[in-house]
Amino acid sequence: MDFALTQEQDMIVKTVRDFVENEIYPHEQLVERSGTVPREVAESLKQKVRDLGFYACNFPEEVGGAGLSHVDITLVERELGRGSMALTHFFGRPQNILMACVGDQRERYLFPAVRGEKMDALAMTEPDAGSDVRGMKCQAVRSGDDWIVNGSKHFISGAEHADFFIVFVATGVDDSPYGPKKRITCFLVDRGTPGFEIRDGYNSVSHRGYKNYTLYFDSCRLPKEQVLGEVDGGFRVMNEWLYATRLTVAAFCVGRARRCFDYALNYAAERRQFGQPIAKFQGVSFQIADMITEIDAADWLTLAAAWRLDQGLPANREIASAKLYASEMLARVTDRTLQIFGGMGLMDDFPIERFWRDARVERIWDGTSEIQRHIISRDLFRPMGA
């Protein structure tokens, strides 16, 4: 077993980390206090990423991406996790689901997204349909060759910068042994489409500047060419392309935890109480030991899941385990770091309180911890017929 990174992977890590430290960190306080990313900053970041050759690095070379492996991309996401999500959003990783584009969709959506000419946003969650995706009420009905969409979506991240949206809606109902089962279809919806409105969402304590929005569809007419994948095939598209986003969350959590840990380590070595550094006290030093152990464990769990994807091996359970453990690990690391900082940890003189607030949402989005445990346990029990 070889746990070493290749020379190319070492270069990827160094390049992305340097970018985050030099181009992201300087803008974090502005974004945190204003709650927004100035357009000129966003465009500057996008251009610098293009110059580095990393824009759409999560796409294969045949469509203009960098052709990185799953492990490579996980390393990129891990380093981006160190920075403000509102800013690293412009590092430019379009949704991989766009690989399902066919024909003219590739020219209108896929290639412009890969080139950084257009940005996308994913719309799935609704007020009454979070973990229960099939509970969605936003629906589309046929009207000749078109579809008429009515309903709403919320918690839609990145909508203010998106040129088009990848929207999942209900398009029918099937009977099943467990009751009615909704069919889901994915649509590509352009900003400015008649009957489609984007409104401000909620004020979140996590990831300020990475805003969420609400989408409203009022008899929004979409031609059949806007269907991504097959009609009623939304779950197939979702399962093929979106499950790896949980791996992205895991990698982000590892990167953020390492940045937080660096603060804890240095503060414990420098802060003096009772005539000596607080690192001398086991109440602090043992917490430091636990933190780095858990961070390393989450890191290897995440990279191992990415490696399985590269080998073409089943990885659904492993990805769920990585997301579950890394997100809960980040909660513990940020909380312990705040405790080590004491009262100063809650002051905005340090970013610790921000890390602590931001960490809370990681156990919720892209599948709650409970959903991850369901995926893991179902994978274990299914072969046993239980």
Side-chain angles (χ1 to χ4, degrees):
M1 300 174 69
D2 185 0
F3 291 98
L5 299 184
T6 66
Q7 185 175 3
E8 181 180 349
Q9 288 170 332
D10 280 328
M11 183 187 70
I12 289 172
V13 169
K14 182 181 185 307
T15 300
V16 180
R17 184 175 299 181
D18 286 347
F19 179 87
V20 171
E21 292 177 351
N22 296 323
E23 305 295 342
I24 301 296
Y25 287 1
H27 299 293
E28 287 184 334
Q29 275 289 75
L30 170 64
V31 172
E32 182 67 15
R33 291 178 176 173
S34 68
T36 189
V37 178
R39 184 161 294 277
E40 61 272 17
V41 172
E43 291 304 320
S44 174
L45 290 173
K46 287 171 65 176
Q47 186 56 53
K48 288 175 180 177
V49 176
R50 290 192 200 99
D51 293 342
L52 283 174
F54 273 87
Y55 202 92
C57 63
N58 55 322
F59 277 74
E61 289 181 308
E62 59 262 28
V63 297
L68 299 184
S69 69
H70 288 287
V71 169
D72 295 340
I73 294 167
T74 300
L75 293 171
V76 170
E77 296 290 355
R78 187 184 72 184
E79 296 309 312
L80 291 176
R82 292 175 175 268
S84 162
M85 182 171 283
L87 292 159
T88 58
H89 175 66
F90 300 100
F91 199 84
R93 290 95 71 215
Q95 296 287 340
N96 290 86
I97 196 172
L98 291 175
M99 286 297 295
C101 286
V102 295
D104 185 56
Q105 291 177 343
R106 294 168 72 87
E107 298 296 333
R108 294 176 58 204
Y109 300 105
L110 172 60
F111 296 137
V114 170
R115 292 192 296 264
E117 297 165 0
K118 289 184 177 182
M119 294 196 78
D120 62 280
L122 185 68
M124 189 179 303
T125 304
E126 298 179 12
D128 295 319
S131 296
D132 179 16
V133 176
R134 288 194 189 271
M136 64 175 60
K137 297 177 180 177
C138 185
Q139 64 175 346
V141 295
R142 289 185 185 272
S143 176
D145 285 339
D146 298 340
W147 291 87
I148 306 298
V149 184
N150 284 284
S152 65
K153 298 288 179 180
H154 77 164
F155 294 157
I156 309 306
S157 304
E160 74 271 41
H161 302 286
D163 299 285
F164 67 93
F165 295 77
I166 303 163
V167 185
F168 288 82
V169 300
T171 47
V173 179
D174 290 325
D175 291 326
S176 77
Y178 306 101
K181 183 179 179 181
K182 289 184 180 178
R183 301 193 298 271
I184 306 297
T185 301
C186 183
F187 290 88
L188 296 165
V189 184
D190 293 307
R191 176 185 287 274
T193 298
F196 172 48
E197 183 181 358
I198 305 166
R199 300 180 191 173
D200 288 342
Y202 315 96
N203 292 322
S204 174
V205 301
S206 295
H207 299 299
R208 289 176 180 164
Y210 189 62
K211 298 180 179 180
N212 68 86
Y213 288 78
T214 301
L215 310 183
Y216 289 90
F217 298 88
D218 184 6
S219 297
C220 177
R221 182 176 292 271
L222 300 175
K224 62 182 180 180
E225 290 78 16
Q226 298 307 109
V227 173
L228 182 62
E230 298 179 356
V231 173
D232 299 332
F235 265 93
R236 286 191 294 275
V237 176
M238 193 186 308
N239 291 332
E240 183 175 2
W241 296 108
L242 289 184
Y243 72 99
T245 60
R246 301 196 299 269
L247 196 59
T248 297
V249 175
F252 171 92
C253 290
V254 172
R256 180 57 60 93
R258 288 204 183 278
R259 182 180 177 189
C260 197
F261 175 79
D262 289 342
Y263 275 96
L265 185 67
N266 289 315
Y267 192 81
E270 297 169 2
R271 170 70 167 165
R272 299 182 68 85
Q273 290 287 278
F274 305 101
Q276 59 184 333
I278 61 173
K280 293 284 187 180
F281 301 107
Q282 288 185 352
V284 173
S285 64
F286 281 16
Q287 289 192 69
I288 293 290
D290 287 343
M291 288 160 68
I292 194 60
T293 300
E294 291 192 42
I295 293 170
D296 285 345
D299 202 356
W300 291 118
L301 192 60
T302 302
L303 290 172
W307 177 85
R308 289 184 66 86
L309 287 178
D310 283 332
Q311 304 307 308
L313 298 171
N316 199 35
R317 173 171 62 84
E318 288 78 6
I319 291 173
S321 295
K323 199 274 183 182
L324 169 65
Y325 186 78
S327 62
E328 297 197 346
M329 172 277 297
L330 179 61
R332 292 188 291 270
V333 166
T334 54
D335 191 71
R336 287 169 180 160
T337 299
L338 196 152
Q339 191 71 17
I340 289 169
F341 269 72
M344 287 306 298
L346 289 167
M347 305 299 114
D348 64 6
D349 298 68
F350 295 98
I352 309 306
E353 55 87 23
R354 168 160 60 92
F355 298 157
W356 181 58
R357 284 186 287 104
D358 290 351
R360 189 59 186 88
V361 74
E362 307 303 334
R363 287 177 278 164
I364 297 174
W365 59 15
D366 281 278
T368 63
S369 290
E370 291 74 21
I371 288 295
Q372 306 311 317
R373 288 185 169 93
H374 173 69
I375 292 170
I376 295 164
S377 59
R378 186 180 60 186
D379 186 85
L380 293 171
F381 282 117
R382 185 183 289 115
M384 304 170 68

